[in-house]
Amino acid sequence: MVFQKLTPYRILNPSSLAITLQIYTQTKSLNKGKSLHAQLIRSCIKPRNYISNHLLIMYSKCGRLDYARNLFDKMPQRNLVAYTAMITALAQGGMYEDAVVLFGKMRGKGLRPNEFGFSSVVQASSYGRLVGFGWQVHCLCVKCGFSRELFVGSNLADMYSKFGEITDACKVFQEMVYKDVVSWTAMIDGYAKNGEFEAAALAFKEMVCMGVVIDHYVMSSALHACGAMGDAKYGKSLHSVVIKSGLEKETALGNALTDMYFKARDMGSASRVFSSDSRHMDIVSYTSLINGYVEAEQIDMAMRIFLELRRQELEPNEFTFSTLIKACADEAALEQGMQLHAQVVKFSFGADPFVSSTLVDMYGKCGLVDHAVGLFDRIENHTVISWNSLIGAFAQHGLGKEAIKVFERMIAADMKPNAITFGNVLKGCSHAGLVQEGLDYFHTMESRYGVTPKEEHYSHVIDLLSRAGKLKQVEEFIQSMPFEPNAFGWCSYLAACRNHSDMERGKVAAENLMRLEPENSGAHVLLSTIYANERQWEGVRDMRKMMKDGSLKKLPGYSWLDIGNQTHIFIAEDSFHPQQVDIYKKLDSLIEQIKIAGYVPQTTSVPYEMDEDSKEKLLRHHSEKIAVAFALLRMPSGKPIIIKKNLRVCVDCHAALKLIAKVTTRKIIVRDNSRFHHFSDGSCSCRDYW
């Protein structure tokens, strides 16, 4: 029934008006509903309460919360239905505190809430993180006899799971007399989001056994839990349930299946799910696929999927860009990162806080800290993520004082730092040798800023003291820690023991590192180097025997650089590159030039029992030297050379690269496994402190 013009008779027919408003609500015909409301006002006839309630519901369902609020405020008399409708509208519109306040006013009027009012105010408490009020509402639900009602119980279980109180959520769920798929979904999703993935899987199995009809919401929650467990076998059984239930055409489930298989490292199944019905895949599907390849460190495949979605004329969203740019940052893929930056500008996502922050991070991790600073300065509304990105960029480049300055700017801007902020600040202090500053920040991060130090912060302090050679202070700090150092902490301590030839402390650090990571050969290699520096070759042989007996192999060092759209990878003594003759000829020429400039091979860094000439030859053909020689052959003179290395750059290569940068008048940037080194005119940005 559609009213174009209302006759006085029809105005006086409340039943017809109510039915019409219900139709407008269901079809979301806002303009028709407004026209009807206007004619009611012009008729000078005050609508009955339940007609006003229908108008209120119509406005809220059509997304016009402002109209609904205005109508509610002008109602001369408000009954339970009006209050409930308004509370529901506020809760669903994200105005959680307003919904709670109105619920209190309704109680003050002596009105007793019904199950719909309770459901809505519980939702408001849940999404608004109003923990104390949520508990009070639960008490009132029990008092009024609604706590076991289906909708109220489901929302209470969901509320407690969102508060992280999964035990209370479980109690509410168990007390419910009747449970439908919505209540089971609340419980399974609650388990999954609180990290109790096996409990989520067991709950799903129990639900199936009870014969509850499955929908795509509960399947999505179950698949999320399965993906987090990395259980491909269980994931395939869930996949079969999806097919048997006839839900395979649901786009949301296709996304969840793709994501689950990627997390379970079953790349083939993920690709098949995506390809089986790609016509129904949306940007969320493509972004999920891209994220899967990024997590699997297959950035080339991720970029191919991006190109495919563009061919399908789908527009990428902020999550698509953030995922790809983060991958470029982690891989230091500058060329691809810059291309994505151009796409970000094209699609007007430059102002998005997540995208802009990942761009700052990307340029920082690709060696162009000036670009990172420029991008940061152009961000209009900074978030803690953007501040952390810039502090992290300075920290990784060893620019500790600059990192501290940005931190102080962040505090002055009334931005609250978090655990990541302090991790970056401590890292910056560590790489720059700012020992006292780092200790001051560590000791005040909880008392002044309300951030409790975690395992990684303690490890950064160990690294800070270790790099400064304060081994006794490190020992005392470890003894005072509330928990045992992690592998990073012991590794930092062991590396410092190697650098300062402290064999006894080195043995302690190595033993603890071997215990934590028995499959990691790094502890054996570092301890072997300590023995070699002391010329205790028997100890070196013992370490090699331990590695052989444990089937451990030393992680091979390699370096790589990008030229155009191609990545060139080099290993020590590389003999596979098609231009190896020209590369080694260029490298020999460079070595002769830097020897004239004062280069002396650091043969003491070679942990092998061999003559000096053999050691010198071994050092000459390290992967980063080969990569630099190749870059000088292929790259234009005005462009900086950016080399990436999977291990810490050795002392000999560090000394050689400083002089290569000087004799060639080129800027050379090396990103090793912990920081950046900017070589220019015979010096390094680290000031030989790394």
Side-chain angles (χ1 to χ4, degrees):
M1 185 185 300
V2 178
F3 283 61
Q4 297 298 331
K5 291 183 179 180
L6 292 175
T7 66
Y9 172 77
R10 283 174 173 166
I11 290 176
L12 295 173
N13 187 344
S15 298
S16 298
L17 288 174
I19 293 170
T20 301
L21 286 170
Q22 286 177 340
I23 293 171
Y24 290 165
T25 301
Q26 292 168 2
T27 58
K28 295 207 169 27
S29 303
L30 177 63
N31 289 334
K32 291 179 180 179
K34 286 168 64 179
S35 176
L36 177 54
H37 189 188
Q39 291 185 59
L40 283 170
I41 294 170
R42 286 198 300 269
S43 72
C44 298
I45 297 176
K46 292 182 179 180
R48 295 184 183 180
N49 258 4
Y50 80 93
I51 296 300
S52 296
N53 293 341
H54 277 297
L55 282 166
L56 186 63
I57 294 168
M58 185 270 296
Y59 281 130
S60 63
K61 294 291 185 183
C62 290
R64 292 311 304 258
L65 196 55
D66 52 342
Y67 287 2
R69 191 67 182 265
N70 187 44
L71 175 62
F72 179 82
D73 290 341
K74 291 180 178 179
M75 289 174 67
Q77 291 183 328
R78 307 179 191 107
N79 59 14
L80 178 62
V81 177
Y83 272 103
T84 302
M86 196 66 238
I87 291 167
T88 302
L90 291 169
Q92 293 177 350
M95 301 178 70
Y96 308 121
E97 292 187 5
D98 288 355
V100 165
V101 169
L102 189 59
F103 182 82
K105 289 180 178 179
M106 180 185 76
R107 291 283 298 149
K109 294 288 186 181
L111 294 173
R112 187 175 185 271
N114 58 19
E115 64 269 35
F116 304 109
F118 274 122
S119 294
S120 295
V121 80
V122 168
Q123 279 186 335
S125 304
S126 175
Y127 287 103
R129 307 293 297 173
L130 307 173
V131 180
F133 187 80
W135 289 339
Q136 293 176 27
V137 171
H138 187 186
C139 291
L140 188 59
C141 288
V142 174
K143 184 178 178 181
C144 295
F146 286 112
S147 62
R148 299 184 181 185
E149 198 277 332
L150 180 61
F151 297 114
V152 178
S154 298
N155 282 321
L156 282 169
D158 183 63
M159 178 189 75
Y160 280 117
S161 68
K162 282 184 168 63
F163 291 167
E165 303 290 344
I166 195 66
T167 303
D168 289 338
C170 196
K171 287 178 181 177
V172 170
F173 181 76
Q174 289 172 349
E175 289 175 357
M176 292 173 63
V177 177
Y178 175 73
K179 305 177 183 73
D180 67 354
V181 68
V182 176
S183 49
W184 279 102
T185 301
M187 205 62 235
I188 293 167
D189 192 56
Y191 278 129
K193 288 181 177 175
N194 282 277
E196 298 191 22
F197 306 115
E198 291 185 3
L202 288 172
F204 179 78
K205 290 177 182 177
E206 185 181 350
M207 184 193 82
V208 172
C209 291
M210 292 182 68
V212 179
V213 177
I214 295 168
D215 64 12
H216 68 280
Y217 296 108
V218 74
M219 281 305 313
S220 294
S221 297
L223 288 167
H224 169 65
C226 178
M229 290 190 295
D231 190 340
K233 184 177 180 181
Y234 178 52
K236 287 181 178 178
S237 69
L238 290 177
H239 193 173
S240 67
V241 173
V242 170
I243 296 170
K244 289 176 182 177
S245 303
L247 299 170
E248 67 272 19
K249 297 298 182 182
E250 289 281 350
T251 301
L253 271 185
N255 298 341
L257 280 166
T258 303
D259 184 63
M260 179 274 294
Y261 278 124
F262 270 123
K263 288 177 178 174
R265 299 298 183 193
D266 189 346
M267 312 298 287
S269 295
S271 297
R272 283 192 292 274
V273 169
F274 184 85
S275 303
S276 64
D277 196 20
S278 58
R279 291 173 300 174
H280 291 91
M281 295 301 179
D282 55 11
I283 189 59
V284 178
S285 315
Y286 276 95
T287 301
S288 178
L289 191 64
I290 287 169
N291 186 61
Y293 280 119
V294 167
E295 291 294 323
E297 298 181 356
Q298 296 185 27
I299 186 172
D300 289 339
M301 282 299 298
M303 292 299 291
R304 288 182 193 175
I305 299 300
F306 178 75
L307 294 175
E308 176 60 27
L309 76 86
R310 293 300 300 124
R311 278 194 288 268
Q312 297 293 333
E313 297 184 351
L314 285 173
E315 288 197 3
N317 60 24
E318 63 271 31
F319 303 108
T320 315
F321 281 122
S322 296
T323 301
L324 283 168
I325 294 166
K326 182 182 179 298
C328 292
D330 294 339
E331 296 291 326
L334 179 60
E335 296 291 337
Q336 290 168 313
M338 293 178 75
Q339 291 171 18
L340 285 169
H341 189 181
Q343 291 288 309
V344 166
V345 174
K346 178 181 177 181
F347 286 98
S348 302
F349 282 111
D352 182 85
F354 294 105
V355 176
S356 56
S357 298
T358 52
L359 281 169
V360 171
D361 183 58
M362 184 272 293
Y363 280 114
K365 288 181 177 176
C366 288
L368 302 182
V369 70
D370 291 340
H371 283 58
V373 173
L375 265 172
F376 178 85
D377 290 340
R378 290 196 292 273
I379 297 175
E380 293 183 5
N381 298 309
H382 289 292
T383 64
V384 68
I385 301 172
S386 61
W387 286 105
N388 287 347
S389 295
L390 187 61
I391 295 170
F394 280 128
Q396 194 165 15
H397 286 263
L399 303 172
K401 290 182 179 179
E402 287 79 359
I404 288 174
K405 286 179 183 177
V406 176
F407 175 79
E408 296 300 336
R409 282 173 57 194
M410 176 183 181
I411 300 303
D414 290 328
M415 184 65 67
K416 181 176 171 59
N418 58 20
I420 297 172
T421 313
F422 281 101
N424 288 337
V425 169
L426 291 172
K427 184 178 180 181
C429 291
S430 177
H431 286 310
L434 304 174
V435 178
Q436 192 55 52
E437 291 88 339
L439 290 174
D440 289 344
Y441 281 119
F442 175 76
H443 289 303
T444 59
M445 59 185 285
E446 184 167 19
S447 60
R448 184 179 299 174
Y449 303 102
V451 180
T452 304
K454 296 181 180 178
E455 184 180 80
E456 60 265 27
H457 300 109
Y458 281 90
S459 295
H460 280 305
V461 174
I462 293 173
D463 189 59
L464 173 78
L465 296 170
S466 296
R467 288 177 186 273
K470 299 180 181 295
L471 301 185
K472 181 173 176 54
Q473 198 170 341
V474 175
E475 189 175 47
E476 293 170 351
F477 181 77
I478 289 174
Q479 291 171 354
S480 70
M481 286 174 57
F483 37 70
E484 185 182 353
N486 61 15
F488 172 71
W490 285 119
C491 189
S492 298
Y493 188 33
L494 178 55
C497 293
R498 177 199 61 186
N499 295 339
H500 296 277
S501 301
D502 192 326
M503 187 179 298
E504 292 308 311
R505 288 190 174 99
K507 287 180 181 178
V508 173
E511 287 171 3
N512 281 283
L513 185 55
M514 290 175 193
R515 179 174 51 81
L516 287 175
E517 294 186 344
E519 73 289 348
N520 186 352
S521 64
H524 301 79
V525 173
L526 286 169
L527 188 55
S528 176
T529 304
I530 295 175
Y531 285 129
N533 290 341
E534 297 298 313
R535 306 190 70 78
Q536 294 192 15
W537 302 114
E538 187 64 32
V540 174
R541 283 189 283 272
D542 288 344
M543 286 296 103
R544 289 179 184 167
K545 185 176 185 302
M546 285 180 65
M547 290 177 66
K548 184 178 180 181
D549 293 345
S551 301
L552 298 176
K553 292 184 179 180
K554 180 182 176 182
L555 181 66
Y558 59 89
S559 301
W560 71 98
L561 75 158
D562 300 311
I563 298 179
N565 292 321
Q566 190 173 3
T567 300
H568 299 266
I569 303 173
F570 301 93
I571 60 173
E573 302 286 344
D574 201 304
S575 60
F576 301 103
H577 200 280
Q579 289 183 257
Q580 63 166 313
V581 174
D582 294 332
I583 294 170
Y584 282 121
K585 185 178 178 181
K586 179 65 176 179
L587 182 56
D588 290 340
S589 172
L590 287 170
I591 297 297
E592 294 306 314
Q593 289 180 67
I594 63 175
K595 278 185 175 180
I596 296 171
Y599 167 68
V600 177
Q602 305 285 318
T603 55
T604 55
S605 64
V606 179
Y608 302 114
E609 194 174 5
M610 57 176 61
D611 59 70
E612 290 298 303
D613 288 341
S614 298
K615 287 184 178 182
E616 185 176 337
K617 183 180 178 183
L618 197 65
L619 290 171
R620 176 177 294 212
H621 294 157
H622 275 192
S623 63
E624 50 264 65
K625 292 191 185 82
I626 298 172
V628 168
F630 175 72
L632 289 167
L633 287 173
R634 292 283 303 274
M635 294 182 68
S637 58
K639 196 171 185 180
I641 296 170
I642 302 177
I643 307 290
K644 282 82 72 175
K645 184 176 172 64
N646 69 321
L647 302 176
R648 183 179 186 269
V649 63
C650 77
V651 291
D652 182 74
C653 286
H654 193 268
L657 290 174
K658 287 193 293 184
L659 292 172
I660 291 174
K662 182 177 181 179
V663 301
T664 60
T665 65
R666 296 291 292 271
K667 184 173 183 179
I668 301 171
I669 301 171
V670 176
R671 188 184 92 165
D672 66 11
N673 67 346
S674 65
R675 61 163 295 160
F676 276 93
H677 298 267
H678 293 251
F679 299 98
S680 179
D681 196 28
S683 64
C684 178
S685 60
C686 74
R687 302 186 305 280
D688 297 335
Y689 186 90
W690 88 101

